[in-house]
Amino acid sequence: MNQQKNTKQGILVKMNIVLLGSPGVGKGTYAKRISGIYGIPQISTGDMFREAIKNKTEIGLKAKEYIDKGELVPDDVTIGIVEERLKKDDCKNGFMLDGFPRTIAQAEALDKIVVIDKVLDFTASEKIIIDRLSGRRICKSCGAIYHIRNIIPKVKGVCDKCGGEVYQRNDDKPEAVKKRLDVYTKQTAPLIGYYKEKKLLADIGADKPIEQVDEIIADVRKALEE
Ligand code: ADP
Ligand code: ZN
């Protein structure tokens, strides 16, 4: 570990974290929890792109073509938005990248910008992944994550947290899901070896049902504070 930390109080003085794992493994859900515990921002490139699409910005219009098909947005665009985001003040005590890097080229670019302290690799069986993706619903306004069977909003179609519209992402529909899993295997899974070689990788089993998410978070804390 290259930076000082205080584990006794469960406070990480500085921690630059990357979350790896297949689409649907639950990264976004864990990221929100971990971000709350340690007070570091969750930086989700997927959320940033969806925000840009909603606001019809130039980057949003460009990204939408790729995202709806389940393909990766080109590296130059993605690296650019992450580089800008990491310059913001709230990243100076650490951050958690959720959904970036997704290619070796992105990981190499990231290494030129910051030092990464830990990479958490979440794994779950294919059956669980497909169930999580096909049943996932999200809030159009705040990005809160729901599921048709396990995490149901109190009022159908309405976000508990902000009252926004809860919808199914285009890329959570079956055709795009298949493509995304394929893209993950070919383009993102090689990052496991990349970070293992740098001795930064911690495996976190994420097969447990959502009711036991606390146990997954406990494993994450162990990995980060050891
Ligand atoms: P999930 O983790 O469920 O696949 P995300 O919200 O992380 O969902 O990403 C949704 C889509 O946004 C991806 O399928 C891809 O098209 C695009 N995207 C997100 N992050 C990246 C990235 N680092 N590089 C390229 N494309 C990305
Ligand atoms: Zn909401």
Side-chain angles (χ1 to χ4, degrees), residues 61-118:
L61 294 175
K62 194 161 181 187
K64 187 171 169 30
E65 293 169 45
Y66 298 93
I67 293 179
D68 282 351
K69 282 189 277 186
E71 289 167 12
L72 293 185
V73 178
D75 281 339
D76 57 337
V77 177
T78 311
I79 292 166
I81 65 160
V82 171
E83 189 162 13
E84 280 310 304
R85 180 67 185 82
L86 290 176
K87 283 184 193 155
K88 296 213 168 133
D89 245 16
D90 63 342
C91 294
K92 67 180 189 296
N93 292 321
F95 53 79
M96 192 176 3
L97 284 167
D98 162 18
F100 183 94
R102 257 175 154 99
T103 62
I104 295 280
Q106 290 178 12
E108 288 171 348
L110 181 64
D111 281 339
K112 293 200 181 107
I113 310 172
V114 284
V115 174
I116 295 301
D117 298 302
K118 198 80 171 180

Side-chain angles (χ1 to χ4, degrees), residues 161-173:
K161 299 197 172 78
C162 78
E165 180 197 344
V166 172
Y167 79 115
Q168 180 177 41
R169 282 166 39 180
N170 279 341
D171 61 337
D172 277 346
K173 293 177 181 158

Side-chain angles (χ1 to χ4, degrees), residues 1 5-13 15 17 19 30-40 96 118-122 202-205 208 212-226:
M1 200 66 30
K5 58 178 184 164
N6 179 350
T7 57
K8 280 202 194 82
Q9 295 154 3
I11 299 165
L12 304 178
V13 170
M15 189 53 89
I17 306 168
L19 304 188
Y30 315 132
K32 288 185 173 65
R33 291 280 301 268
I34 307 164
S35 158
I37 293 171
Y38 295 114
I40 53 176
M96 192 176 3
K118 198 80 171 180
V119 178
L120 303 173
D121 180 30
F122 294 95
D203 270 312
I204 310 282
K208 297 187 178 85
Q212 290 165 33
V213 67
D214 286 350
E215 293 174 27
I216 298 174
I217 299 302
D219 289 344
V220 167
R221 297 190 67 161
K222 228 182 284 166
L224 292 178
E225 293 175 21
E226 74 192 359

Side-chain angles (χ1 to χ4, degrees), residues 150-169:
N150 325 320
I151 322 171
I152 307 166
K154 291 194 190 78
V155 179
K156 193 168 187 277
V158 180
C159 176
D160 292 343
K161 299 197 172 78
C162 78
E165 180 197 344
V166 172
Y167 79 115
Q168 180 177 41
R169 282 166 39 180

Side-chain angles (χ1 to χ4, degrees), residues 160-189:
D160 292 343
K161 299 197 172 78
C162 78
E165 180 197 344
V166 172
Y167 79 115
Q168 180 177 41
R169 282 166 39 180
N170 279 341
D171 61 337
D172 277 346
K173 293 177 181 158
E175 319 75 65
V177 163
K178 194 174 169 300
K179 176 76 188 169
R180 281 161 63 210
L181 294 175
D182 213 41
V183 165
Y184 175 77
T185 308
K186 293 204 180 93
Q187 303 195 61
T188 308

